[in-house]
Each structure stands twice: as C-alpha cells, then as structure tokens.
Amino acid sequence: MAFYFEEPSRTFSEFLLVPGYSSADCVPTNVSLKTPIVKFKKGEESAITMNIPLVSAIMQAVSDDNMGIALATEGGVSFIFGSQSIESEAAMVSRVKNHKAGFVISDSNISPDKTLQDILDLKEKTGHSTVAVTEDGTAHGKLLGIVTSRDYRVTRMSPDEKVADFMTPFEKLVTANKSTTLKEANNIIWDHKLNALPLVDENEHLVHMVFRKDYDSNKENKLELLDSSKRYVVGAGINTRDYEERVPALVEAGADILCIDSSEGYSEWQKRTLDYIRAEYGDTVKVGAGNVVDRDGFRYLADAGADFVKVGVGGGSICITREQKGIGRGQATALIDVAKARDEYFEETGIYIPICSDGGIVYDYHMTLALAMGADFIMLGRYFSRFDESPTNKVNLNGTYMKEYWGEGANRARNWQRYDLGGDKKLSFEEGVDSYVPYAGSLKDNVAISLSKVRSTMCNCGALNIPELQQKAKITLVSSTSIVEGGAHDVVVKDASNNLIK
Ligand code: IMP
C-alpha cells in the first residue's frame, strides 16, 4: 500500500511567527545573520560561513558574474548557472574571483588614431566619461593617455580630430604601480584631486583603473564575503552528466563551492556525481546536492557525502512541475521535515549538514519563516531576477519596467540535464514558464530592506542569531480568515496624493 503522510503539505503563507520575549539588548543592530554553508563536525566551524543567509538561484535569468559580485559584496553567494558551456561558466566564475572591489578593468578604451566622434560614440555606449587611450585600444594595452570631458569641446573642435592630438598624454598623467593597495590609490586620488587613477605594470600597460566615486561605496561593504586571498566567494552549478569535464574546469577557475542542480535529488545520479568528486578531490571540493523534500531524500544525500542539502520540489515561482507531473511537496512542510532529519543526523553522527530552502519565497517575512523552520540559508530566483544585476533584459511594458525571468525547465533555457532522468537530450515537456517580474532596482538596496525586516522580526522572537531563532521561534498555522485580517482591511486605502487605491 502506498505511504500516506499524516500532515497536509503546507506553504510559508500558511504560517506566522508568534512574538517571544525580547530583552533590551535584542535590537536589530545586534543581530548576526552569519550562517554555515558546508558541513562541519560538532565543535568545529564550517569551512565557509556566509554573512547573510541568501544565495542566488542556479538559473540563466539570475546568476551570472555580475550577480556573483553584487551578492558577495553584500555577504551572500551566487551559484553561477550551469546550463551553459563549460568554458563560459568557468569564465564567469573566474571573473568573480578576479574582481577586486574598487579596481576596475577599464571598459572604455580607444587607440590614439581614432577620432573625437569615436570618443563620443564610446561615451554614448558605455555611459562613462573617462576613456583610456592605449596603443591597441584594449583594456590592457600600453597606456598612452586619458581622455575626459575636460580634454575636448564639441562646439569648438572637428569630430575628425585625432585622439592623439587632444588626449592628456601619459607623461602628464598621475599613474601608480599595479600593486598599489586601494587605500594607497585613494590617498593618491585625494592628494592630486583626481577623478581616476590608472594602475600600470612595469611596461606601462594598463591593469586597472581606480575611480574616486567608487571609494565611498567600497568602504561601506562591511559584510562582503571574501576567501583567504581576499577574493569574492562564488559558487557554481553542475549537473549529473558532464561532471568529469565541468568540475575540473570550475575548480581551476576558482569556484569555492559547487552544487548539483537537479529537480530531483534523491537519485543514483547524484551519488555517482558525489562519488566522482570525493574520489578525485577528497573533501577539498565542497559540493551541495538536491533537491529533496523529505527525510529519506536527506539521509540518502547525507550518506552520499553532500556538503549541504537543498530542499524544494515544485515551489518555485516559475515552476509548473506539480501541475505537469503531480510531484512535489509544500515548501514549508518539506523544510520542517528535512530540518528534523538534519538535526537527527547531527545527534547521531556529530556532523552538521546545512540545509538550503530553495524556491517559493514571495514576501520578505517568508525568509524569516524559512530560517525559523530550520533553513540554514535560502536560495532565491524571482527575488534576485528583479534587480539591476540580473542578466536579463529590462523592458518597458505600458509604462511599467519589468525584467524577464524564465525557469530552467522552460524551453527557453534548454537545460535538459536538470530534468533528464537518463533519457533523450531534450525536454519532452516543459516544467517551467517564461515570465516577467516587476523591476525593483539595485540588489544592495533591496537586500538591505529585506534583511532589516528579518533582523527586526528576529528581535521580536528574542533571537540575536539564526540558531537562536530556530530554537526560540514559536510558529502558528493561520486560518484563511486570519490571513485577511493580516492585511489592511475594512478601510479604503489612499496614496500620497489622496487618490483611492483600487
Ligand atoms: P523562486 O525563488 O520561487 O523563483 O524559485 C527558484 C527555484 O525554482 C530555483 O532555485 C530552482 O530550484 C527552481 N526552478 C528553476 N527553474 C525551474 C523550472 O523551470 N521549473 C521548476 N523549478 C524551477
């Protein structure tokens, strides 16, 4: 006879947190959101600890190198999408690893034989007014000069004038050696009242630019997540097919952590992938596995050697797996069950395997609920896809800005590895949709607001860190009428201009 779960399968929106006692020191500025991402033994620390409990989804529409840099700057980790060629995924990883905050690879470069018109065209394209003049017009060519808007007057000069004739030449520039630290570079910028400082190597080839305007923003990133060589931490998605080629390339590119990206994690394919990684790299390569939704799935991946386990089937915003296949489990129920299994495993073995709640976060308070229900960290797709840093197009639809967002199981992603169970190299039916999400601005601003809500709710529960929240949280189911009570009700809401909001 089939097995029946006793509890219905529930989602985050069916729960609320009940306030607990909060002492006077329980204020948001005292809250730490640090959290482990890979397994560790009792009494030891995780080899990678994030400063905020958020990771971005392994999706084409979400996690590229830009997202990787932006999220690591705030203290989280992006998992670069795996549904691309091995070379381009490794190149994205390496761009995150080689990005040095404040040190910019010049994107506006020109050779001296070009004209004022070319400078104007370049400015239009990049939006940047400082142009490096290099011998071959590349970002790392021999530096011959700089052009800024102070070097030309469009009204007084011919568009055909040669760059060499009006640039500020190398001899007159203040430059610094490529090994200059950010602090030193900023002192030079300050002393010489510069807007930009080129850093060059011993052959006068341009290496980086440091811009005055970036200094303040670089000083602010107290939570940025760096490895032992002060490079950003980044993750990368792998699949259960081409791991023998993909894993070495990603490791070589500097990925700090990998994750098997699959809609179904409770499978022999995942074990084979983990076995390969352990045989080749021992414990030096960190790798998460998933997705699972119950105790059995967790135990299987824990025993197979996963460094973390990802939870969730069918709860993603773009996901139609449950409709198409009738498979999955309400995200809250799945998480609560797997969190119990993780704690049980820890009791038995002394090994703590972090779990990641993947998908289905709609409101900011869902983040707090997921953490309270036992998630060590949370993976989000839709949330991050709305920001400037996501790789997709921003489009204006009837006056509203939207970003594109599509599932890895939509035909558009062509990600057959994620859904394939050993069959054809094509999707026989879709498990995801192609969609728009409302554009929401910068990652930094949005993450700051979301996490300030999380910290504030944690204080209401009397918790100053995530483990404390998991211990102290009191969680209640809500009835459908009490959900209505939770929003503005029985009033007619108006906006700042006193117009009624329909
Ligand atoms: P979201 O944060 O609710 O948008 O969910 C993102 C998660 O949905 C991802 O991390 C994946 O686990 C999952 N996902 C991504 N693409 C698809 C798809 O096409 N079908 C089903 N699930 C998907």
Side-chain angles (χ1 to χ4, degrees):
M1 187 184 146
F3 177 81
Y4 288 88
F5 288 92
E6 280 171 20
E7 292 288 322
S9 181
R10 298 194 185 274
T11 67
F12 293 129
S13 289
E14 291 176 83
F15 293 92
L16 283 178
L17 285 154
V18 173
Y21 168 72
S22 39
S23 59
D25 65 340
C26 215
V27 290
T29 44
N30 287 344
V31 170
S32 160
L33 292 175
K34 275 187 184 297
T35 194
I37 187 165
V38 293
K39 70 181 171 196
F40 57 93
K41 288 205 188 97
K42 198 172 190 161
E44 294 181 1
E45 272 195 17
S46 175
I48 309 176
T49 300
M50 292 192 292
N51 292 329
I52 62 170
L54 307 183
V55 300
S56 67
I58 313 171
M59 297 174 72
Q60 292 172 2
V62 181
S63 298
D64 67 350
D65 43 322
N66 266 333
M67 182 61 72
I69 291 165
L71 187 48
T73 305
E74 301 310 314
V77 171
S78 275
F79 283 87
I80 304 291
F81 67 93
S83 53
Q84 59 179 323
S85 75
I86 294 173
E87 296 70 35
S88 65
E89 187 181 9
M92 284 189 182
V93 166
S94 120
R95 284 202 287 278
V96 180
K97 294 309 288 182
N98 292 321
H99 179 87
K100 284 172 44 191
F103 294 88
V104 177
I105 294 179
S106 173
D107 72 351
S108 298
N109 310 291
I110 208 160
S111 55
D113 55 326
K114 291 289 194 312
T115 64
L116 174 59
Q117 187 58 52
D118 294 322
I119 292 274
L120 298 175
D121 292 346
L122 192 59
K123 193 176 158 193
E124 172 86 26
K125 193 169 128 205
T126 62
H128 296 148
S129 52
T130 302
V131 178
V133 184
T134 58
E135 204 164 57
D136 58 1
T138 66
H140 297 303
K142 188 167 195 273
L143 185 65
L144 302 179
I146 292 276
V147 173
T148 69
S149 40
R150 275 186 256 165
D151 294 306
Y152 57 85
R153 283 282 170 280
V154 178
T155 46
R156 293 198 187 172
M157 288 163 57
S158 149
D160 300 330
E161 199 143 335
K162 287 268 184 285
V163 168
D165 297 333
F166 63 89
M167 68 184 187
T168 302
F170 186 80
E171 312 76 72
K172 291 200 180 158
L173 290 177
V174 179
T175 61
N177 184 276
K178 66 171 186 199
S179 53
T180 307
T181 64
L182 189 58
K183 192 156 188 262
E184 290 162 351
N186 283 301
N187 287 339
I188 299 171
I189 286 176
W190 184 253
D191 290 345
H192 295 266
K193 298 186 168 43
L194 306 174
N195 283 326
L197 175 71
L199 303 191
V200 294
D201 67 12
E202 46 293 348
N203 301 315
E204 295 172 1
H205 281 244
L206 180 61
V207 180
H208 287 119
M209 299 286 272
V210 178
F211 291 96
R212 179 194 198 106
K213 66 174 172 48
D214 289 344
Y215 182 55
D216 286 335
S217 60
N218 287 319
K219 266 198 318 190
E220 277 168 20
N221 303 319
K222 293 192 201 86
L223 292 178
E224 65 184 356
L225 195 61
L226 303 173
D227 66 15
S228 55
S229 316
K230 302 245 175 293
R231 303 183 309 169
Y232 282 134
V233 172
V234 68
I238 59 172
N239 62 69
T240 55
R241 298 287 161 207
D242 64 11
Y243 51 84
E244 294 188 19
E245 292 88 45
R246 196 172 288 268
V247 171
L250 295 173
V251 170
E252 170 76 23
D256 297 275
I257 182 161
L258 306 175
C259 182
I260 309 174
D261 180 32
S262 167
S263 62
E264 222 310 80
Y266 190 6
S267 83
E268 187 179 341
W269 302 106
Q270 298 243 335
K271 181 169 161 34
R272 286 192 196 176
T273 310
L274 291 165
D275 284 348
Y276 163 82
I277 292 175
R278 294 296 170 236
E280 290 296 313
Y281 301 96
D283 282 337
T284 60
V285 167
K286 305 295 179 194
V287 54
N291 286 11
V292 297
V293 286
D294 70 356
R295 182 183 179 279
D296 296 350
F298 173 85
R299 287 303 283 217
Y300 179 79
L301 293 178
D303 290 340
D307 282 299
F308 68 86
V309 171
K310 205 141 67 67
V311 184
V313 173
S317 57
I318 33 46
C319 178
I320 50 171
T321 298
R322 292 187 197 161
E323 277 169 21
Q324 294 279 61
K325 293 169 57 181
I327 197 148
R329 198 172 190 199
Q331 186 63 13
T333 306
L335 183 58
I336 293 165
D337 207 9
V338 174
K340 268 191 208 139
R342 175 207 50 206
D343 294 344
E344 217 177 81
Y345 193 83
F346 182 54
E347 281 285 299
E348 267 173 51
T349 63
I351 298 171
Y352 187 90
I353 301 179
I355 57 172
C356 168
S357 176
D358 177 14
I361 297 291
V362 181
Y363 302 109
D364 290 333
Y365 83 86
H366 287 173
M367 296 183 191
T368 326
L369 266 177
L371 295 171
M373 287 172 174
D376 294 281
F377 58 102
I378 304 161
M379 179 171 270
L380 308 101
R382 187 196 62 85
Y383 178 80
F384 287 113
S385 71
R386 301 169 304 145
F387 304 153
D388 289 318
E389 293 81 357
S390 81
T392 68
N393 292 324
K394 182 170 129 191
V395 292
N396 186 336
L397 291 179
N398 305 325
T400 307
Y401 281 107
M402 307 287 252
K403 295 265 296 186
E404 294 181 309
Y405 178 45
W406 61 92
E408 289 293 300
N411 274 335
R412 179 169 181 179
R414 308 182 64 77
N415 186 359
W416 62 266
Q417 291 99 331
R418 187 171 201 269
Y419 295 91
D420 162 60
L421 284 173
D424 295 339
K425 291 189 180 186
K426 66 176 170 55
L427 287 173
S428 41
F429 55 91
E430 289 186 290
E431 289 193 40
V433 297
D434 194 352
S435 71
Y436 289 116
V437 287
Y439 164 68
S442 78
L443 179 144
K444 189 182 188 68
D445 293 347
N446 281 278
V447 166
I449 293 170
S450 301
L451 294 184
S452 74
K453 292 186 203 168
V454 171
R455 289 190 185 93
S456 174
T457 312
M458 283 173 67
C459 289
N460 296 143
C461 296
L464 286 173
N465 55 52
I466 294 169
E468 222 171 74
L469 175 69
Q470 291 167 349
Q471 247 181 13
K472 293 187 173 175
K474 294 186 284 184
I475 300 173
T476 182
L477 266 173
V478 288
S479 68
S480 45
T481 41
S482 76
I483 293 176
V484 175
E485 183 188 56
H489 62 90
D490 302 306
V491 292
V492 184
V493 183
K494 65 182 178 64
D495 65 16
S497 320
N498 289 333
N499 295 316
L500 300 186
I501 297 177
K502 293 200 181 100

